[in-house]
Amino acid sequence: ALDIDGNAVLGSSSSTNDTITGLASLDVTGTTVIETATLTSTGTQRFRGNVTLGTATTLTTTDSAITFDAALASDVGETNDLTIAAGSGAVTFTGAVGAVDRLGAVNVGSSGITLFGSSARAISLTTNVGGTTKLTGDVDTTDHQLFNDVVVLLGNVSLSGRDITLNMTTDSDAAQTARALTVSGSGTTTFGGTVGAAAILSSLTVNGGGKTALNGASIKTAGAQTYDDILVLGHDIVLTGTDITLNGRVDSAAASTPRALTVTGTGAKTFNAALGSSVVLGALTVNGGGTTVLHGGVINTDGAQTFTDAATLSADTLLTSLGGNISFASTLGSDTTPRSLEITAGAGDVTFTGAVGTQ
């Protein structure tokens, strides 16, 4: 074991190939400057003071924890890569990561728990399959974020970058402490699993100007859901919350597999763009007890369209089903401007249960 009581400089700044291997464990009480390309131990590695990466480095243990008790950053003016291979050991970033000088590509490999106790800034961030990543603060990257493991929110979190992928489930730490998630990806944002299924989120906002792929079965929030991007459905999905707003168009991922969309909101459900205009949806169900505003102009489905709540047209609207029923179970009217409504249901039935033409 190597225990350092005080500050440490590991490696030389004049070399990019220094290595430290064969340690049983490492514990540094003071600040640490890491100038080694490789730092390997069979046991734990703990850095109790601030850590500065002076070069791209790989930290490796044999199923043992790696812990940063304070801040972690690149050397001034640099963006150095960090790779961690801890096996089943936990990886803990207690302080801010890259707050002063952003890290480069960060790759964390642990089948245990990876904890970000504060904010993180890097060029990119990747976590491996099989573990759990717990996020307390915001994550800011200039390139991609790829979470291949389960994500648990310990606080309100904002993810910002280019392509942002949450391949597994995303939940709050507990239903009693619902957390807000904002995902701002300028490229493609992907939700590969359910969101809020095990422990509900407080709200979800997806923006950034790119497109969003929804490949899980459900998204549940105690509050609002707002989608500013184009939505592409790779799975039948149920959105459950209060006010649910879709500002971009919504399509299935492939014409050969039309996907069903259910929007269950106790508040206002607002559709500000076309649904199924590029690639037809399977079916559309809008319910929850609130109100529905149709502003997108076009809704195309392969199956039924069911509007349970009071619906308002704020644009001329064309509803088309290739064979399913189209039904309005409550009132249907225009906003302050009279709007036209055209319905094509093929062999399906068209049903108006409530008053039509109310304002």
Side-chain angles (χ1 to χ4, degrees), residues 79-141:
T79 51
N80 293 314
D81 299 343
L82 174 63
T83 299
I84 292 178
S88 61
V91 178
T92 302
F93 303 92
T94 305
V97 176
V100 178
D101 285 275
R102 185 186 297 269
L103 268 62
V106 177
N107 293 275
V108 182
S110 170
S111 60
I113 293 175
T114 298
L115 169 65
F116 289 88
S118 185
S119 60
R121 296 172 67 246
I123 298 298
S124 65
L125 173 63
T126 302
T127 64
N128 72 332
V129 176
T132 299
T133 294
K134 296 185 176 183
L135 301 177
T136 305
D138 299 341
V139 180
D140 172 16
T141 58

Coordinates of all heavy atoms in Angstrom, one line a residue, residues 79-141:
T79 N -7.5 19.9 -21.7 CA -8.7 19.0 -21.6 C -8.2 17.6 -21.6 O -8.2 16.9 -22.6 CB -9.7 19.3 -22.7 OG1 -9.0 19.2 -24.0 CG2 -10.3 20.7 -22.5
N80 N -7.7 17.1 -20.5 CA -7.1 15.8 -20.4 C -8.2 14.7 -20.2 O -9.1 14.8 -19.4 CB -6.1 15.7 -19.3 CG -4.9 16.6 -19.7 OD1 -4.4 16.6 -20.8 ND2 -4.5 17.4 -18.7
D81 N -7.9 13.5 -20.9 CA -8.9 12.4 -20.8 C -8.7 11.6 -19.5 O -7.6 11.6 -19.0 CB -8.6 11.4 -22.0 CG -8.9 12.1 -23.3 OD1 -9.5 13.1 -23.4 OD2 -8.4 11.5 -24.3
L82 N -9.8 11.0 -19.1 CA -9.7 10.2 -17.9 C -10.5 8.9 -18.1 O -11.7 8.9 -18.5 CB -10.4 10.9 -16.7 CG -10.5 10.0 -15.4 CD1 -9.2 9.6 -14.8 CD2 -11.3 10.8 -14.3
T83 N -9.8 7.8 -18.0 CA -10.5 6.5 -18.1 C -10.3 5.7 -16.8 O -9.3 5.7 -16.2 CB -9.8 5.6 -19.2 OG1 -9.9 6.3 -20.4 CG2 -10.4 4.2 -19.3
I84 N -11.5 5.2 -16.3 CA -11.5 4.5 -15.0 C -12.0 3.1 -15.2 O -13.1 2.9 -15.9 CB -12.4 5.2 -14.0 CG1 -11.7 6.6 -13.6 CG2 -12.6 4.4 -12.7 CD1 -12.6 7.4 -12.6
A85 N -11.3 2.1 -14.8 CA -11.7 0.7 -14.8 C -11.6 0.1 -13.4 O -10.5 -0.2 -12.9 CB -10.8 -0.1 -15.8
A86 N -12.8 0.1 -12.8 CA -12.8 -0.3 -11.4 C -13.5 -1.7 -11.2 O -13.7 -2.1 -10.0 CB -13.5 0.7 -10.6
G87 N -13.8 -2.4 -12.2 CA -14.5 -3.7 -12.1 C -15.8 -3.5 -11.4 O -16.6 -2.7 -11.8
S88 N -16.0 -4.2 -10.3 CA -17.3 -4.0 -9.5 C -17.1 -3.0 -8.4 O -18.1 -2.7 -7.7 CB -17.6 -5.4 -8.8 OG -16.6 -5.8 -7.9
G89 N -16.0 -2.3 -8.3 CA -15.8 -1.3 -7.3 C -16.5 0.0 -7.6 O -16.8 0.3 -8.8
A90 N -16.9 0.7 -6.6 CA -17.6 2.0 -6.7 C -16.7 3.1 -7.2 O -15.5 3.1 -6.8 CB -18.3 2.3 -5.4
V91 N -17.2 4.0 -8.0 CA -16.5 5.2 -8.4 C -17.2 6.4 -7.9 O -18.4 6.6 -8.2 CB -16.3 5.2 -9.9 CG1 -15.6 6.5 -10.3 CG2 -15.6 4.0 -10.4
T92 N -16.5 7.3 -7.1 CA -17.2 8.4 -6.5 C -16.5 9.7 -6.8 O -15.3 9.8 -6.5 CB -17.3 8.2 -4.9 OG1 -17.9 7.0 -4.6 CG2 -18.0 9.4 -4.3
F93 N -17.2 10.6 -7.4 CA -16.7 12.0 -7.6 C -17.5 12.9 -6.6 O -18.6 13.3 -7.0 CB -17.0 12.4 -9.0 CG -16.3 11.5 -10.1 CD1 -17.0 10.5 -10.7 CD2 -15.0 11.8 -10.5 CE1 -16.5 9.7 -11.6 CE2 -14.4 11.0 -11.5 CZ -15.2 9.9 -12.1
T94 N -16.9 13.2 -5.5 CA -17.7 13.9 -4.5 C -17.8 15.4 -4.9 O -18.8 16.0 -4.7 CB -17.0 13.8 -3.1 OG1 -16.9 12.4 -2.8 CG2 -17.8 14.5 -2.0
G95 N -16.7 16.0 -5.3 CA -16.7 17.4 -5.7 C -16.9 17.6 -7.2 O -17.2 16.7 -7.9
A96 N -16.8 18.9 -7.6 CA -17.1 19.2 -9.0 C -16.0 18.6 -9.9 O -14.8 18.5 -9.5 CB -17.1 20.7 -9.1
V97 N -16.4 18.2 -11.0 CA -15.5 17.6 -12.0 C -15.4 18.6 -13.2 O -16.4 19.0 -13.8 CB -16.1 16.2 -12.6 CG1 -15.2 15.7 -13.7 CG2 -16.2 15.2 -11.4
G98 N -14.2 19.1 -13.5 CA -14.0 20.0 -14.6 C -14.5 21.3 -14.4 O -14.8 22.0 -15.4
A99 N -14.8 21.8 -13.2 CA -15.4 23.1 -13.0 C -14.5 24.2 -13.4 O -15.0 25.2 -14.0 CB -15.8 23.2 -11.5
V100 N -13.2 24.1 -13.2 CA -12.3 25.2 -13.5 C -11.8 24.9 -15.0 O -11.9 25.8 -15.8 CB -11.1 25.2 -12.6 CG1 -10.1 26.3 -13.0 CG2 -11.6 25.5 -11.1
D101 N -11.2 23.8 -15.2 CA -10.7 23.4 -16.5 C -11.4 22.0 -16.9 O -11.2 21.0 -16.2 CB -9.2 23.3 -16.6 CG -8.6 24.6 -16.6 OD1 -8.4 25.2 -17.7 OD2 -8.2 25.1 -15.5
R102 N -12.2 22.1 -17.9 CA -12.9 20.9 -18.4 C -12.1 19.7 -18.6 O -11.0 19.8 -19.2 CB -13.7 21.3 -19.7 CG -14.6 20.3 -20.2 CD -15.2 20.8 -21.6 NE -15.9 22.0 -21.5 CZ -17.2 22.1 -21.3 NH1 -17.9 21.0 -21.2 NH2 -17.8 23.3 -21.3
L103 N -12.5 18.5 -18.3 CA -11.8 17.3 -18.6 C -12.1 17.0 -20.1 O -12.9 17.6 -20.8 CB -12.3 16.1 -17.8 CG -11.5 15.9 -16.5 CD1 -11.6 17.0 -15.5 CD2 -12.1 14.6 -15.8
G104 N -11.3 16.0 -20.6 CA -11.5 15.6 -22.0 C -12.5 14.5 -22.1 O -13.6 14.7 -21.6
A105 N -12.2 13.4 -22.7 CA -13.1 12.3 -22.8 C -13.1 11.5 -21.5 O -12.0 11.0 -21.1 CB -12.8 11.3 -23.9
V106 N -14.2 11.4 -20.8 CA -14.3 10.7 -19.5 C -15.0 9.4 -19.8 O -16.1 9.3 -20.2 CB -15.0 11.5 -18.4 CG1 -15.1 10.7 -17.2 CG2 -14.3 12.8 -18.2
N107 N -14.3 8.2 -19.4 CA -14.9 6.9 -19.6 C -14.8 6.2 -18.2 O -13.8 6.0 -17.7 CB -14.2 6.1 -20.6 CG -14.3 6.6 -22.0 OD1 -15.3 6.3 -22.7 ND2 -13.4 7.5 -22.5
V108 N -16.0 5.9 -17.7 CA -16.1 5.3 -16.4 C -16.6 3.8 -16.5 O -17.7 3.6 -17.0 CB -17.0 6.1 -15.4 CG1 -17.0 5.4 -14.0 CG2 -16.5 7.5 -15.3
G109 N -15.8 2.9 -16.1 CA -16.2 1.5 -16.2 C -16.3 0.9 -14.8 O -15.3 0.7 -14.0
S110 N -17.5 0.7 -14.3 CA -17.8 0.1 -13.0 C -19.2 -0.6 -13.1 O -20.1 0.0 -13.6 CB -17.8 1.1 -11.9 OG -18.3 0.6 -10.7
S111 N -19.2 -1.9 -12.7 CA -20.5 -2.6 -12.6 C -21.2 -2.3 -11.2 O -22.2 -2.8 -10.9 CB -20.3 -4.1 -12.8 OG -19.4 -4.6 -11.8
G112 N -20.5 -1.5 -10.4 CA -21.1 -1.0 -9.2 C -21.8 0.3 -9.3 O -22.4 0.6 -10.4
I113 N -21.6 1.2 -8.3 CA -22.3 2.5 -8.4 C -21.2 3.6 -8.7 O -20.2 3.6 -8.1 CB -22.9 2.8 -7.0 CG1 -24.1 1.9 -6.7 CG2 -23.4 4.3 -7.0 CD1 -24.7 2.1 -5.4
T114 N -21.6 4.4 -9.7 CA -20.8 5.6 -10.0 C -21.6 6.8 -9.6 O -22.7 7.0 -10.0 CB -20.5 5.7 -11.6 OG1 -19.8 4.5 -12.0 CG2 -19.8 6.9 -11.9
L115 N -21.0 7.6 -8.7 CA -21.7 8.7 -8.1 C -21.0 10.0 -8.5 O -19.8 10.2 -8.3 CB -21.7 8.6 -6.6 CG -22.1 9.9 -5.8 CD1 -23.6 10.2 -6.1 CD2 -21.9 9.7 -4.3
F116 N -21.8 10.9 -9.1 CA -21.3 12.3 -9.3 C -22.0 13.1 -8.3 O -23.2 13.4 -8.4 CB -21.7 12.8 -10.7 CG -20.9 12.1 -11.8 CD1 -21.3 10.9 -12.4 CD2 -19.7 12.7 -12.3 CE1 -20.5 10.3 -13.4 CE2 -18.9 12.1 -13.3 CZ -19.3 10.9 -13.8
G117 N -21.3 13.6 -7.3 CA -21.9 14.3 -6.2 C -22.0 15.8 -6.4 O -22.6 16.5 -5.6
S118 N -21.6 16.3 -7.5 CA -21.7 17.7 -7.9 C -21.8 17.7 -9.4 O -22.1 16.8 -10.1 CB -20.5 18.4 -7.4 OG -20.6 19.8 -7.6
S119 N -21.5 18.9 -10.0 CA -21.5 19.1 -11.4 C -20.3 18.5 -12.1 O -19.3 18.2 -11.5 CB -21.6 20.6 -11.8 OG -20.5 21.2 -11.3
A120 N -20.5 18.3 -13.4 CA -19.4 17.7 -14.2 C -19.3 18.4 -15.6 O -20.3 18.6 -16.2 CB -19.6 16.2 -14.4
R121 N -18.1 18.7 -16.0 CA -17.8 19.3 -17.3 C -16.7 18.6 -18.0 O -15.6 18.4 -17.4 CB -17.4 20.8 -17.2 CG -18.5 21.7 -16.6 CD -18.0 23.1 -16.3 NE -17.7 23.8 -17.5 CZ -16.5 24.2 -17.9 NH1 -15.4 23.9 -17.1 NH2 -16.3 24.9 -19.0
A122 N -16.9 18.1 -19.2 CA -15.9 17.4 -20.0 C -16.2 17.5 -21.4 O -17.2 18.1 -21.8 CB -16.0 15.9 -19.6
I123 N -15.3 17.0 -22.2 CA -15.6 17.0 -23.7 C -16.7 15.9 -23.9 O -17.6 16.2 -24.7 CB -14.3 16.6 -24.5 CG1 -13.2 17.7 -24.3 CG2 -14.6 16.4 -26.0 CD1 -13.6 19.1 -24.8
S124 N -16.6 14.8 -23.3 CA -17.6 13.7 -23.4 C -17.6 12.9 -22.2 O -16.6 12.9 -21.4 CB -17.3 12.8 -24.7 OG -16.1 12.1 -24.5
L125 N -18.7 12.1 -22.0 CA -18.8 11.3 -20.8 C -19.5 10.0 -21.3 O -20.5 10.0 -21.9 CB -19.6 11.9 -19.7 CG -20.0 11.1 -18.5 CD1 -18.8 10.6 -17.8 CD2 -21.0 11.8 -17.6
T126 N -18.8 8.9 -20.9 CA -19.4 7.5 -21.2 C -19.3 6.7 -20.0 O -18.3 6.6 -19.3 CB -18.6 6.8 -22.3 OG1 -18.6 7.7 -23.5 CG2 -19.2 5.5 -22.7
T127 N -20.4 6.0 -19.6 CA -20.4 5.0 -18.5 C -20.7 3.7 -19.1 O -21.4 3.5 -20.2 CB -21.5 5.3 -17.5 OG1 -22.8 5.3 -18.0 CG2 -21.2 6.8 -16.9
N128 N -20.3 2.6 -18.5 CA -20.4 1.3 -19.1 C -21.7 0.6 -18.7 O -22.4 1.0 -17.9 CB -19.2 0.4 -18.7 CG -19.2 0.0 -17.3 OD1 -19.8 0.7 -16.4 ND2 -18.6 -1.1 -17.0
V129 N -21.9 -0.6 -19.3 CA -23.1 -1.4 -19.1 C -22.9 -2.1 -17.8 O -21.9 -2.6 -17.4 CB -23.3 -2.4 -20.2 CG1 -24.5 -3.3 -20.0 CG2 -23.5 -1.7 -21.5
G130 N -24.0 -2.2 -17.0 CA -24.0 -3.1 -15.9 C -24.1 -2.5 -14.5 O -24.4 -3.2 -13.5
G131 N -23.8 -1.2 -14.4 CA -23.8 -0.6 -13.1 C -25.0 0.4 -13.0 O -26.0 0.3 -13.6
T132 N -24.8 1.4 -12.0 CA -25.7 2.4 -11.8 C -25.0 3.7 -11.7 O -24.0 3.8 -11.0 CB -26.5 2.2 -10.5 OG1 -27.3 1.0 -10.6 CG2 -27.5 3.3 -10.3
T133 N -25.5 4.8 -12.4 CA -24.9 6.1 -12.3 C -25.8 7.0 -11.6 O -27.0 7.1 -12.0 CB -24.6 6.7 -13.7 OG1 -23.5 5.9 -14.3 CG2 -24.1 8.1 -13.5
K134 N -25.4 7.6 -10.5 CA -26.2 8.5 -9.7 C -25.7 10.0 -10.0 O -24.5 10.3 -9.8 CB -26.1 8.2 -8.2 CG -26.7 6.8 -7.9 CD -26.7 6.5 -6.4 CE -27.4 5.2 -6.1 NZ -27.5 4.9 -4.6
L135 N -26.6 10.8 -10.4 CA -26.3 12.2 -10.7 C -26.9 13.1 -9.7 O -28.2 13.1 -9.5 CB -26.8 12.5 -12.1 CG -26.3 11.7 -13.3 CD1 -27.0 12.1 -14.6 CD2 -24.8 11.8 -13.4
T136 N -26.1 14.0 -9.2 CA -26.6 15.0 -8.2 C -26.7 16.4 -8.9 O -27.6 17.2 -8.6 CB -25.6 15.1 -7.0 OG1 -25.5 13.8 -6.4 CG2 -26.2 16.0 -5.9
G137 N -25.7 16.7 -9.8 CA -25.7 18.0 -10.4 C -25.7 17.9 -11.9 O -25.9 16.8 -12.5
D138 N -25.5 19.1 -12.5 CA -25.6 19.1 -14.0 C -24.3 18.5 -14.7 O -23.2 18.5 -14.1 CB -25.6 20.6 -14.4 CG -26.9 21.3 -13.9 OD1 -27.8 20.6 -13.5 OD2 -26.9 22.5 -13.9
V139 N -24.6 18.0 -15.9 CA -23.5 17.4 -16.7 C -23.4 18.2 -18.0 O -24.4 18.3 -18.7 CB -23.7 15.9 -17.0 CG1 -22.5 15.4 -17.8 CG2 -23.8 15.2 -15.7
D140 N -22.3 18.8 -18.3 CA -22.1 19.7 -19.4 C -20.9 19.1 -20.3 O -19.8 19.1 -19.8 CB -21.8 21.1 -19.0 CG -21.4 22.0 -20.1 OD1 -21.6 21.7 -21.3 OD2 -20.9 23.1 -19.8
T141 N -21.2 18.7 -21.5 CA -20.2 18.2 -22.4 C -20.3 19.0 -23.7 O -21.4 19.4 -24.1 CB -20.3 16.7 -22.7 OG1 -21.6 16.4 -23.2 CG2 -20.1 15.9 -21.4

